[in-house]
Amino acid sequence: MARIVYCHPAKTKYGLHLYTDLDFWDARKILRDVALVKRNFGDSPPGDEFPSQVVREDASPRVHALIKRRLLKAIPAPPRHVVVRSLLIDGFYEFEPWRYFPRRWSSSLIEHFLSYRLPVDHGVLNSPYNTYRLEWHGNTVRVVPEKRPQKHDPVIQTRRQARRHLLVPTCF
């Protein structure tokens, strides 16, 4: 369940302006046909905690309810830019999974979910020479990059795989 923080009406020019703790790419995918999703580089609320802002010119109650319903159904994950920055600076990224995921989820389900939500297309986590490993340290999950024993060249079999291989986001 994603968290929502509303922008003060005096600080915005939009009819609907809110911040969410969903990652920019996830929020954009969820709200692509309803509202415009922007990145939050500000400090009120902090961009590392609420990386996305959702804006819309008109604020009809029906559209507002639709946006709120979609955001409350979504499950957030650690923001990709925070993960990459921590991996580059500290060499690992560590977080408490219960801050993002429901407590009823098992550790294998959290690992499966993270395998789709982590920025695995980024060169820090996944390249011909690097991969990553998820480790559990008590109640925290640690993402640790590791070197591959030998160079890994992916076999591309479909057009979709070729398109994903070409369009790798290098920054967030």
Side-chain angles (χ1 to χ4, degrees):
M1 202 164 102
R3 294 181 295 162
I4 298 172
V5 174
Y6 290 94
C7 184
H8 193 277
K11 294 184 178 183
T12 185
K13 62 181 179 179
Y14 299 103
L16 173 68
H17 192 163
L18 57 93
Y19 299 93
T20 181
D21 63 344
L22 280 177
D23 186 60
F24 169 76
W25 297 103
D26 300 332
R28 188 174 167 190
K29 191 173 191 176
I30 291 170
L31 299 172
R32 80 181 97 176
D33 59 337
V34 180
L36 179 64
V37 178
K38 296 181 175 183
R39 296 177 193 267
N40 178 20
F41 294 113
D43 292 328
S44 178
D48 288 349
E49 191 174 349
F50 293 94
S52 304
Q53 50 182 324
V54 178
V55 296
R56 187 167 167 100
E57 291 292 331
D58 61 333
S60 68
R62 185 185 65 79
V63 172
H64 184 80
L66 176 66
I67 291 171
K68 188 174 179 181
R69 183 171 58 244
R70 286 188 186 182
L71 288 177
L72 291 178
K73 282 183 180 180
I75 297 174
R80 289 172 173 90
H81 72 278
V82 174
V83 174
V84 170
R85 181 177 50 210
S86 180
L87 287 172
L88 289 174
I89 293 172
D90 301 330
F92 64 92
Y93 177 70
E94 190 171 70
F95 68 99
E96 293 180 10
W98 315 127
R99 213 174 133 207
Y100 297 101
F101 308 120
R103 289 200 178 267
R104 66 181 182 275
W105 280 20
S106 65
S107 59
S108 61
L109 184 58
I110 290 172
E111 290 174 9
H112 177 74
F113 189 81
L114 281 176
S115 69
Y116 289 101
R117 286 288 183 93
L118 287 175
V120 293
D121 291 334
H122 196 279
V124 173
L125 284 181
N126 192 10
S127 71
Y129 302 99
N130 296 325
T131 187
Y132 69 97
R133 179 178 70 247
L134 294 175
E135 297 176 347
W136 285 85
H137 290 278
N139 289 333
T140 60
V141 176
R142 182 179 276 196
V143 181
V144 180
E146 63 180 16
K147 297 285 184 191
R148 294 182 192 264
Q150 61 186 15
K151 183 179 177 185
H152 170 72
D153 289 320
V155 178
I156 299 172
Q157 298 173 340
T158 64
R159 284 184 169 211
R160 184 176 183 182
Q161 290 173 342
R163 192 172 59 239
R164 280 194 70 168
H165 191 67
L166 285 176
L167 302 173
V168 175
T170 57
C171 64
F172 298 98

